[in-house]
Amino acid sequence: MIDVQKLVGGYDHSPIIKGLDLKIEKGEFFALLGPNGSGKTTLFKLITGQLPIISGKVSICGKEISSLSKLDVTKEIKLHLF
């Protein structure tokens, strides 16, 4: 499960994502749609730890990504979500 709570983040301290809440359960299918420049890639980079989170939190199967290395985030995603 991916749990996003009050996520704020973006590039160079300029928030692109502002206050997002999202929960995706294991085995659930989802799509992220939007026009160019709407923040889709930024959201995925925040969830996977490629971009720093300004505030809020992202948890993967109950483990907050801020407490994990980038390699461990990848392992958690592969292990629990696919």
Side-chain angles (χ1 to χ4, degrees):
M1 163 178 70
I2 296 175
D3 188 17
V4 177
Q5 296 177 354
K6 300 184 185 342
L7 183 63
V8 177
Y11 302 89
D12 298 324
H13 304 292
S14 296
I16 305 297
I17 305 297
K18 300 175 185 174
L20 178 76
D21 290 316
L22 172 70
K23 187 177 269 192
I24 303 168
E25 298 291 339
K26 182 176 181 173
E28 194 171 43
F29 289 96
F30 72 97
L32 185 61
L33 303 172
N36 291 346
S38 63
K40 300 178 300 290
T41 300
T42 301
L43 175 58
F44 279 113
K45 286 183 176 185
L46 288 165
I47 288 173
T48 59
Q50 295 178 39
L51 282 176
I53 294 171
I54 295 171
S55 66
K57 70 177 193 173
V58 176
S59 300
I60 299 174
C61 295
K63 296 179 183 177
E64 197 168 332
I65 67 162
S66 63
S67 67
L68 302 171
S69 70
K70 289 180 183 178
L71 179 60
D72 287 337
V73 170
T74 302
K75 287 179 183 178
E76 288 295 320
I77 290 171
K78 285 183 178 181
L79 179 65
H80 294 291
L81 299 176
F82 296 104

